[in-house]
Amino acid sequence: MVWVSRVLLRKYGRFMDDLRIYVRGGTGGMGFARLGGEGGKGGDVWLVAQENVTLKRIKARYPSKRFIAGTGVNSSIVALKGAKGKDCEVHVPPGISVTTDDGEVIGELYKVGDRMLVAHGGIGGCVATNFFPVKGQKYMVHLDLKLIADVGLVGFPNAGKSSLLAKISHATPEVADYAFTTIQPELGTVMYADHKQVDVSGFQLSSNTPFRTAFETIVLLAKELELYKEEFRTKPALLAINKMDLPNAEEKLNELKEKLQSPEDYMHLLPKEMIPEATVKFREIIPISAHTGEGTEELIMCLRNVLDEDAEKKIENSQKEKLRALHHSEI
């Protein structure tokens, strides 16, 4: 069984997920010793999350991958206190984790508008520095793109996530008849006739793989997702019932559908710690076989429909917010 959940909508196309850049704060301005004037502080380097930015575009626009802030203004007779140097803002995509060469995490930029200071400018010349300016901080940092998929395949080991990913996309994950074949997350791209691309990633939540019924698996996955990140409960979800090529699959599918119509009637049969606070409402339940390809075309189209509907809903909500704001401004 594979649970297909919409994780994040982002159109990256042929993406790159890591970029190493050089950042340096500006040098402070020269002090004016004779009059006790202080030079301006050097500018700072900021990372700012913006929509429609990719690491590939950053690399193409700035081949040197060097980002240096402005120098502070020298102290002078006209202005004893020098002005601060110009800050350098590096626009990056949301979902970035910023790390040093040693792997130390400096911070993360989750959403559009998030900002992070990565290199301070040096102080201007003053009494403490004998009126000589101080150089800004300099680092090599890695921009690691974490959130890159439109769709996440959620399931326990041996659910067939890798097989399904290989069947519906251009990914080539390792597939074998034992648990934990996939060590690192795999990402594939589904291409549609109108050239829209959807990135699909597979990940698993648990290392415990006892036998359980399909209904128990769905409940437990809902609980694990809830514990992992509560906001996943609000994401659009499809349920792909895999391995329909096996004996008695239709009979088991009908039994599962009956339980999913009123899951609360069966919760008392499960251990209390397995029961999530809220059950997941699936947009569609799609029987598939990643082995034979049965149902995979229907799944691909359902994914597209859910993504398009979600995008239209966001646009509609945004337009309503703008109209409300306009109405309030006219009152």
Side-chain angles (χ1 to χ4, degrees):
M1 178 186 306
V2 179
W3 181 343
V4 183
S5 175
R6 158 79 190 286
V7 177
L8 180 73
L9 178 59
R10 187 80 43 68
K11 302 178 182 68
Y12 282 117
R14 294 182 179 275
F15 62 92
M16 58 186 300
D17 60 2
D18 181 78
L19 183 65
R20 186 170 181 258
I21 64 172
Y22 174 81
V23 294
R24 191 179 81 199
T27 302
M30 193 73 179
F32 200 140
R34 185 162 59 89
L35 299 178
E38 295 183 359
K41 180 182 178 294
D44 303 317
V45 181
W46 293 82
L47 301 182
V48 183
Q50 283 202 348
E51 198 63 82
N52 300 320
V53 176
T54 68
L55 297 183
K56 185 176 180 181
R57 288 176 186 169
I58 296 173
K59 185 178 179 182
R61 187 173 180 182
Y62 306 100
S64 67
K65 296 176 288 184
R66 293 170 63 87
F67 299 92
I68 302 171
T71 302
V73 176
N74 295 337
S75 173
S76 66
I77 295 176
V78 177
L80 287 179
K81 177 62 177 177
K84 181 185 175 183
K86 186 178 180 181
D87 287 347
C88 174
E89 290 192 351
V90 185
H91 295 157
V92 299
I96 285 289
S97 177
V98 185
T99 62
T100 64
D101 273 345
D102 298 328
E104 179 185 351
V105 177
I106 300 172
E108 296 179 328
L109 299 168
Y110 291 107
K111 61 184 185 299
V112 172
D114 282 354
R115 296 168 61 87
M116 183 191 304
L117 180 60
V118 288
H120 287 272
I123 62 173
C126 58
V127 174
T129 65
N130 203 22
F131 296 98
F132 287 103
V134 176
K135 292 183 178 180
Q137 295 176 328
K138 57 181 179 179
Y139 301 106
M140 296 296 302
V141 297
H142 287 264
L143 307 180
D144 180 25
L145 187 58
K146 297 175 66 177
L147 305 176
I148 50 180
D150 299 277
V151 176
L153 304 180
V154 185
F156 290 110
N158 277 354
K161 298 183 298 299
S162 293
S163 297
L164 176 59
L165 189 62
K167 181 66 70 173
I168 67 174
S169 75
H170 298 296
T172 55
E174 183 179 351
V175 178
D177 59 355
Y178 55 85
F180 303 109
T181 312
T182 305
I183 305 301
Q184 297 293 331
E186 291 282 348
L187 188 112
T189 301
V190 179
M191 295 292 296
Y192 290 88
D194 61 358
H195 304 294
K196 178 179 172 66
Q197 295 183 177
V198 170
D199 293 330
V200 183
S201 178
F203 65 97
Q204 59 199 27
L205 297 173
S206 176
S207 58
N208 192 17
T209 58
F211 173 79
R212 61 177 73 85
T213 67
F215 179 73
E216 290 171 342
T217 297
I218 292 170
V219 173
L220 188 54
L221 281 173
K223 181 65 175 180
E224 292 237 15
L225 279 176
E226 183 178 277
L227 293 172
Y228 180 73
K229 190 171 287 188
E230 284 193 17
E231 68 183 68
F232 279 0
R233 291 187 304 184
T234 64
K235 300 290 183 183
L238 304 176
L239 181 62
I241 308 297
N242 193 23
K243 306 186 181 181
M244 288 301 295
D245 53 298
L246 297 181
N248 303 319
E250 283 292 340
E251 180 183 338
K252 292 177 181 178
L253 174 63
N254 293 332
E255 180 183 330
L256 173 62
K257 284 183 174 180
E258 183 180 338
K259 289 183 177 180
L260 289 176
Q261 285 178 352
S262 53
E264 61 280 356
D265 295 343
Y266 301 90
M267 291 296 185
H268 69 280
L269 301 174
L270 305 174
K272 188 175 180 180
E273 61 272 13
M274 270 184 64
I275 302 174
E277 290 186 17
T279 55
V280 177
K281 303 296 183 183
F282 296 104
R283 299 276 188 96
E284 299 283 349
I285 298 176
I286 307 158
I288 67 166
S289 170
H291 177 64
T292 66
E294 174 191 347
T296 54
E297 285 300 320
E298 181 185 354
L299 175 60
I300 288 172
M301 293 314 301
C302 281
L303 286 175
R304 174 65 186 273
N305 291 339
V306 167
L307 291 172
D308 287 349
E309 287 171 12
D310 201 40
E312 288 172 7
K313 188 175 180 180
K314 283 191 174 183
I315 293 171
E316 183 180 337
N317 289 339
S318 176
Q319 290 173 340
K320 286 180 180 178
E321 285 295 326
K322 289 178 180 177
L323 285 173
R324 271 196 290 267
L326 182 62
H327 176 70
H328 285 306
S329 67
E330 292 175 347
I331 295 175

CSV table of all heavy atoms in Angstrom, one decimal, residues 26 34-35 59 112 144 167-168 209 211 222 228 238 272 313-314 331:
chain,number,residue,atom,x,y,z
A,26,GLY,N,30.9,43.4,4.3
A,26,GLY,CA,31.8,44.5,3.8
A,26,GLY,C,32.8,44.9,4.9
A,26,GLY,O,32.5,44.8,6.1
A,34,ARG,N,42.3,62.2,13.9
A,34,ARG,CA,42.5,63.6,14.4
A,34,ARG,C,41.3,64.2,15.0
A,34,ARG,O,41.4,64.9,16.0
A,34,ARG,CB,43.0,64.4,13.2
A,34,ARG,CG,43.4,65.9,13.6
A,34,ARG,CD,44.2,66.5,12.5
A,34,ARG,NE,43.6,66.5,11.2
A,34,ARG,CZ,42.8,67.6,10.8
A,34,ARG,NH1,42.6,68.6,11.6
A,34,ARG,NH2,42.3,67.5,9.6
A,35,LEU,N,40.1,63.8,14.5
A,35,LEU,CA,38.8,64.4,15.0
A,35,LEU,C,38.0,63.4,15.7
A,35,LEU,O,36.9,63.7,16.2
A,35,LEU,CB,38.0,65.0,13.8
A,35,LEU,CG,38.7,66.2,13.1
A,35,LEU,CD1,37.8,66.6,12.0
A,35,LEU,CD2,39.0,67.3,14.0
A,59,LYS,N,23.1,30.1,-9.9
A,59,LYS,CA,24.4,29.7,-10.5
A,59,LYS,C,24.6,30.3,-11.9
A,59,LYS,O,25.7,30.8,-12.2
A,59,LYS,CB,24.5,28.2,-10.5
A,59,LYS,CG,25.9,27.7,-11.0
A,59,LYS,CD,26.0,26.2,-11.0
A,59,LYS,CE,27.4,25.8,-11.5
A,59,LYS,NZ,27.4,24.3,-11.6
A,112,VAL,N,8.5,32.0,1.8
A,112,VAL,CA,8.8,33.2,1.1
A,112,VAL,C,8.8,34.4,2.1
A,112,VAL,O,7.9,34.5,3.0
A,112,VAL,CB,7.7,33.5,0.0
A,112,VAL,CG1,7.9,34.9,-0.6
A,112,VAL,CG2,7.8,32.4,-1.1
A,144,ASP,N,21.3,24.0,0.7
A,144,ASP,CA,20.8,22.7,0.5
A,144,ASP,C,19.2,22.8,0.4
A,144,ASP,O,18.6,23.1,1.3
A,144,ASP,CB,21.1,21.8,1.7
A,144,ASP,CG,20.6,20.4,1.6
A,144,ASP,OD1,20.4,20.0,0.4
A,144,ASP,OD2,20.4,19.7,2.6
A,167,LYS,N,7.8,3.3,-12.0
A,167,LYS,CA,6.7,3.0,-13.1
A,167,LYS,C,6.1,4.3,-13.6
A,167,LYS,O,5.8,4.5,-14.8
A,167,LYS,CB,5.6,2.2,-12.5
A,167,LYS,CG,4.5,1.8,-13.4
A,167,LYS,CD,4.9,0.9,-14.5
A,167,LYS,CE,5.3,-0.5,-14.1
A,167,LYS,NZ,5.6,-1.4,-15.2
A,168,ILE,N,6.0,5.3,-12.7
A,168,ILE,CA,5.2,6.6,-13.2
A,168,ILE,C,6.2,7.7,-13.5
A,168,ILE,O,5.7,8.8,-14.0
A,168,ILE,CB,4.2,7.0,-12.1
A,168,ILE,CG1,4.9,7.5,-10.8
A,168,ILE,CG2,3.2,5.9,-11.8
A,168,ILE,CD1,4.0,8.1,-9.8
A,209,THR,N,8.5,-3.2,11.0
A,209,THR,CA,7.7,-3.7,9.8
A,209,THR,C,7.0,-5.0,10.1
A,209,THR,O,7.1,-6.0,9.5
A,209,THR,CB,8.7,-4.0,8.6
A,209,THR,OG1,9.7,-4.9,9.0
A,209,THR,CG2,9.3,-2.7,8.2
A,211,PHE,N,3.6,-7.6,10.5
A,211,PHE,CA,2.5,-7.8,9.6
A,211,PHE,C,1.3,-7.1,10.2
A,211,PHE,O,1.1,-7.0,11.4
A,211,PHE,CB,2.1,-9.3,9.5
A,211,PHE,CG,0.8,-9.6,8.7
A,211,PHE,CD1,0.8,-9.5,7.4
A,211,PHE,CD2,-0.3,-9.8,9.4
A,211,PHE,CE1,-0.4,-9.7,6.7
A,211,PHE,CE2,-1.5,-10.0,8.7
A,211,PHE,CZ,-1.5,-9.9,7.4
A,222,ALA,N,-1.3,7.4,9.4
A,222,ALA,CA,-1.9,8.7,9.7
A,222,ALA,C,-1.3,9.1,11.1
A,222,ALA,O,-1.1,10.3,11.3
A,222,ALA,CB,-3.4,8.5,9.8
A,228,TYR,N,4.9,13.3,13.1
A,228,TYR,CA,6.0,13.8,12.4
A,228,TYR,C,5.8,15.3,12.1
A,228,TYR,O,6.7,16.2,12.4
A,228,TYR,CB,6.2,13.1,11.0
A,228,TYR,CG,7.4,13.6,10.2
A,228,TYR,CD1,8.7,13.4,10.6
A,228,TYR,CD2,7.1,14.4,9.1
A,228,TYR,CE1,9.7,13.8,9.8
A,228,TYR,CE2,8.2,14.9,8.3
A,228,TYR,CZ,9.5,14.6,8.7
A,228,TYR,OH,10.5,15.1,7.9
A,238,LEU,N,-4.2,11.1,-1.6
A,238,LEU,CA,-4.8,10.0,-2.4
A,238,LEU,C,-4.3,8.7,-1.8
A,238,LEU,O,-3.3,8.6,-1.2
A,238,LEU,CB,-4.3,10.0,-3.9
A,238,LEU,CG,-4.6,11.3,-4.7
A,238,LEU,CD1,-4.0,11.2,-6.0
A,238,LEU,CD2,-6.1,11.6,-4.8
A,272,LYS,N,-4.6,1.9,21.7
A,272,LYS,CA,-4.8,3.4,21.9
A,272,LYS,C,-3.8,4.2,21.3
A,272,LYS,O,-4.0,5.3,20.7
A,272,LYS,CB,-5.0,3.7,23.3
A,272,LYS,CG,-5.5,5.1,23.6
A,272,LYS,CD,-5.8,5.3,25.1
A,272,LYS,CE,-6.3,6.7,25.3
A,272,LYS,NZ,-6.5,7.0,26.8
A,313,LYS,N,-7.5,26.7,-6.0
A,313,LYS,CA,-8.1,27.1,-4.8
A,313,LYS,C,-7.2,28.2,-4.1
A,313,LYS,O,-7.7,29.2,-3.5
A,313,LYS,CB,-8.2,25.9,-3.8
A,313,LYS,CG,-8.9,26.2,-2.6
A,313,LYS,CD,-9.1,24.9,-1.8
A,313,LYS,CE,-9.9,25.2,-0.5
A,313,LYS,NZ,-10.1,23.9,0.3
A,314,LYS,N,-5.9,28.1,-4.2
A,314,LYS,CA,-5.0,29.1,-3.6
A,314,LYS,C,-5.1,30.4,-4.3
A,314,LYS,O,-5.1,31.5,-3.7
A,314,LYS,CB,-3.5,28.6,-3.7
A,314,LYS,CG,-3.2,27.5,-2.7
A,314,LYS,CD,-1.7,27.3,-2.6
A,314,LYS,CE,-1.3,26.4,-1.5
A,314,LYS,NZ,0.1,26.1,-1.4
A,331,ILE,N,-13.6,51.7,3.2
A,331,ILE,CA,-14.5,52.0,4.2
A,331,ILE,C,-14.0,53.2,5.1
A,331,ILE,O,-12.9,53.3,5.5
A,331,ILE,CB,-14.8,50.8,5.2
A,331,ILE,CG1,-15.5,49.7,4.4
A,331,ILE,CG2,-15.7,51.2,6.4
A,331,ILE,CD1,-15.7,48.4,5.2
